[in-house]
Amino acid sequence: MVDVDQAEAALVEHYPRLVRLAYLTLPPALGRNRRVLTAHALVQRALPRKRTSAPAIPAQAKGSRDGDPGYAYVRLQVVRTALHAGLPLKRRALPKRAQLPPLLPQVWGLRLFPRSGGADELALDQRLSGLSDPARAAYVLRGLEKLDDGAVRKLLDAAGVEDPGAAVAEAGEVPAQDALLGSPEFDPCSLHARPTDLMRRRQHGKAALAATAAVVVCGALLGLPGGGWGPDGAAAPSYARNPAAQAALQPGRLTMATATAWKTSARTDFSVWPARGELTGDKALLRRALAVWARPGESVAVSAAAGTPAGGPSGPPQLLYAGTTDSARVVLFYDGLRIVRYAEPTSGTGGAALDLARVDGAGEGDAEAVVLDRADGNVRYLTAPWVTKVGERDLMKPSAGVMDLGLTDGVTAPFASSAARGGSCTAWNALALTSGSVTRLVTDLGELTPARLTAGRPSAPRGAGGAAGLRMWAPYACSLAAVRAEGVRSVNVWQYAVQTLPDGSGSAAWVCTRADTWRGDGSRVLAQFHTPGGIYGAVAAKAEDSPACGTKDPHVLAGVLWKARTGAWYLLAAGSSNTASVRATGAVTGAAVGNVLAAPAKEGAQAGLAGTLRDGRRVTGLR
């Protein structure tokens, strides 16, 4: 028998592990914020209401949980409810409690998500997202709980899975990576926090204070033709009397560049883009778009890239595009600081969307494309007037050709976005933009503006569109997934060292990838290690908000434990070319003159790295 006290003791003692188990079992389609909250809710609801029979399912074979009926009961409840959460809602059946968003815990005003991992964690997460819910539970129970297949089948059967054997067999198709399941990437108890939609929160407060006036305005809108899609569309009611603010919302005051302004202007950025699209003269559409930008209503889906200021235009903005794209009417504005995209359906009055992205200081290489539309995993771009040709290429196949996308009045054909793709990372699409004799590569990272890809030393990065840049990017393309939706402006890849492997099997490349953001802070640095014959680079170290590999500090030092073909373990480390010496401390000791080090080590050894530059300055290893 298991009573509440036993189960509570087990839950409290093993709470982080149970929440991790729930988080990994929940369907990834819920999104990271809801998965975190749901995982905590499921574990907190796992206690029995009274004494109950303990399930005949063994606990983990080793450790303090062995033979603990309280833990076995709570774990079964967590797995059962996590599997329920992945079931689709049925029209004629009441939903199970786990299928609904959790009542508690709730966090208002913040989005919570675990720390981002490296390429290995990303690849595993993508593989797990391709499994069925029972198979994902089986994989996690085997890797995290160390249960054998028989115990997994019994537990899944007790949790209500119709065919536990098939789930175990499907889970066996994914290679075991038990250590990665303990990664911070999958720890819903160690979280990052970001604000939710600040603009919408502010509008909620205004609507609450002006409820009576809102009712009056809504009643007036319902009396208008077209089912209520009035002059201001989905915008919230306006009470502003500021003349400048009112002038900024007048379609007749929008600024527009001439079709040839980019050819004669000293600037090459969004300010010289001409207004394109067949609806640039639709004053009603433009008025709705401006009004929603200034005061988005409750029904508007608002998103802003990290670090992008909220709020309406301070003066009449520039019109870049107004037209019909797929099943939506789309308007693009530029106010000198931000790109703003407004979209509404071509039929009906619901589903308006407003997206904002910071683009201040954009140059020619940054101002070449803006997202017009996303649908079914594809993205369509509006390109700069100086772009004459657009192509699609796979970064992981540098020798493959470029597929022509076609370009009509600056609008591309739909482009398959790798940022929206689930499953394993077997390809990463980039956009090749040609202007004159120059071809630049950009890639979609889930935001309004694509990220520019470069290669070479931080002091003089060059476009990655050439043969050398493509070869350099190929093993590291999948690491771009780690910087999705981070407000990234550009990503540079730099091979800073080559090291001969101590077992004579060839030379390994040390590469640093650095993602810089539009806001300046929040940079993400990955030091990656690529062995001969490997498809992907392995993440050796990473850092956030670090100057390493950047223009201000073009130095880097990183190390990795490596197993030779002979079975021996080594600590391999490398610094950039101006590193005079490298020293290992801690569980591994060794020193070398020059920028590379190979020291004998033991599996799992923890070591520190220190280096000295040629000018005498000290550097420490990235972690």
Side-chain angles (χ1 to χ4, degrees):
M1 299 292 287
V2 176
D3 59 25
V4 177
D5 291 339
Q6 281 181 289
E8 183 179 20
L11 187 150
V12 172
E13 181 181 358
H14 304 296
Y15 184 84
R17 188 178 195 87
L18 289 166
V19 176
R20 186 187 292 264
L21 172 63
Y23 179 83
L24 286 164
T25 304
L26 286 168
L30 292 177
R32 291 198 293 173
N33 181 72
R34 183 172 168 186
R35 281 172 75 191
V36 165
L37 297 179
T38 302
H40 283 273
L42 297 183
V43 174
Q44 292 172 18
R45 296 202 303 257
L47 294 178
R49 296 181 181 273
K50 57 185 178 179
R51 291 177 62 86
T52 184
S53 298
I57 299 174
Q60 185 178 350
K62 297 180 180 180
S64 61
R65 297 179 301 280
D66 186 24
D68 181 353
Y71 180 78
Y73 175 86
V74 174
R75 180 178 60 194
L76 172 60
Q77 295 301 110
V78 169
V79 173
R80 176 185 288 136
T81 53
L83 291 173
H84 288 169
L87 297 176
L89 293 171
K90 296 182 179 179
R91 182 177 298 178
R92 298 183 179 180
L94 291 175
K96 297 180 181 294
R97 188 177 182 186
Q99 292 176 276
L100 302 174
L103 296 176
L104 291 173
Q106 288 288 352
V107 178
W108 296 95
L110 289 176
R111 291 185 300 110
L112 302 177
F113 50 92
R115 296 167 54 191
S116 297
D120 293 337
E121 289 90 341
L122 173 66
L124 176 59
D125 191 37
Q126 292 173 335
R127 293 293 298 273
L128 293 182
S129 67
L131 296 177
S132 64
D133 292 349
R136 188 167 54 252
Y139 184 91
V140 175
L141 288 168
R142 287 201 304 191
L144 191 64
E145 293 292 292
K146 307 300 182 186
L147 296 181
D148 59 37
D149 288 353
V152 172
R153 283 192 290 269
K154 288 182 180 180
L155 194 152
L156 292 180
D157 182 64
V161 174
E162 292 184 0
D163 192 348
V168 172
E170 184 183 350
E173 297 175 2
V174 179
Q177 300 186 68
D178 299 354
L180 290 183
L181 294 178
S183 164
E185 169 86 3
F186 308 121
D187 182 7
C189 291
S190 177
L191 301 170
H192 283 297
R194 293 291 186 272
T196 55
D197 191 329
L198 300 178
M199 294 178 67
R200 179 175 292 186
R201 282 161 50 185
R202 186 173 63 177
Q203 294 302 326
H204 285 179
K206 290 182 178 179
L209 294 174
T212 303
V215 170
V216 174
V217 173
C218 287
L221 289 176
L222 288 174
L224 291 172
W229 194 257
D232 287 352
S238 173
Y239 305 100
R241 293 294 182 265
N242 184 294
Q246 291 296 319
L249 304 181
Q250 298 302 317
R253 300 206 177 188
L254 288 170
T255 63
M256 300 186 196
T258 64
T260 58
W262 63 274
K263 296 180 179 180
T264 57
S265 174
R267 300 180 61 173
T268 312
D269 57 15
F270 294 107
S271 67
V272 295
W273 280 32
R276 285 167 286 180
E278 75 279 11
L279 299 179
T280 54
D282 189 334
K283 302 298 183 182
L285 171 64
L286 298 178
R287 177 175 178 79
R288 288 196 299 273
L290 289 166
V292 170
W293 178 8
R295 46 184 203 283
E298 295 281 348
S299 63
V300 180
V302 182
S303 71
T308 302
S314 58
Q318 179 181 344
L319 179 64
L320 302 183
Y321 179 87
T324 302
T325 304
D326 296 328
S327 59
R329 287 184 287 264
V330 177
V331 181
L332 289 178
F333 298 114
Y334 171 65
D335 68 351
L337 173 66
R338 300 164 294 179
I339 291 289
V340 178
R341 175 184 178 272
Y342 168 79
E344 66 180 38
T346 53
S347 61
T349 62
L354 183 72
D355 306 301
L356 302 94
R358 183 173 176 175
V359 292
D360 50 317
E364 181 178 358
D366 304 307
E368 291 199 320
V370 174
V371 169
L372 269 185
D373 183 56
R374 294 184 185 274
D376 301 324
N378 294 324
V379 60
R380 194 189 293 269
Y381 288 95
L382 177 69
T383 62
W386 53 85
V387 172
T388 56
K389 185 177 180 181
V390 179
E392 175 185 354
R393 72 177 314 141
D394 184 355
L395 283 182
M396 299 181 69
K397 298 176 181 177
S399 59
V402 180
M403 183 181 73
D404 187 12
L405 273 185
L407 201 59
T408 304
D409 194 23
V411 179
T412 70
F415 167 76
S417 171
S418 294
R421 185 184 302 152
S424 58
C425 182
T426 57
W428 192 279
N429 293 334
L431 204 63
L433 304 172
T434 300
S435 173
S437 60
V438 178
T439 297
R440 295 183 178 90
L441 281 186
V442 298
T443 190
D444 178 41
L445 292 180
E447 299 181 297
L448 266 183
T449 55
R452 182 163 47 97
L453 302 180
T454 59
R457 296 188 63 84
S459 57
R462 58 188 181 279
L470 291 170
R471 286 194 302 270
M472 189 173 295
W473 260 110
Y476 312 103
C478 288
S479 65
L480 288 166
V483 292
R484 286 180 292 197
E486 295 286 342
V488 172
R489 179 177 187 170
S490 64
V491 187
N492 185 57
V493 60
W494 170 38
Q495 180 175 302
Y496 66 87
V498 176
Q499 183 173 22
T500 302
L501 296 174
D503 65 352
S505 59
S507 297
W510 287 90
V511 168
C512 185
T513 56
R514 179 184 174 89
D516 286 314
T517 66
W518 284 98
R519 61 191 182 277
D521 61 356
S523 62
R524 184 77 62 85
V525 179
L526 297 179
Q528 302 189 61
F529 179 71
H530 186 217
T531 54
I535 300 177
Y536 306 101
V539 176
K542 54 190 174 182
E544 294 185 17
D545 291 322
S546 169
C549 300
T551 54
K552 291 186 176 181
D553 186 16
H555 313 295
V556 62
L557 175 62
V560 67
L561 282 176
W562 176 78
K563 186 178 181 180
R565 293 183 300 179
T566 61
W569 285 87
Y570 292 87
L571 171 66
L572 303 182
S576 44
S577 59
N578 58 349
T579 303
S581 63
V582 180
R583 179 169 53 89
T585 60
V588 181
T589 57
V593 176
N595 67 325
V596 295
L597 167 70
K602 294 182 179 180
E603 182 179 1
Q606 300 290 321
L609 290 174
T612 303
L613 301 179
R614 291 178 180 173
D615 61 7
R617 287 186 294 156
R618 302 287 183 88
V619 292
T620 57
L622 290 180
R623 291 186 177 275

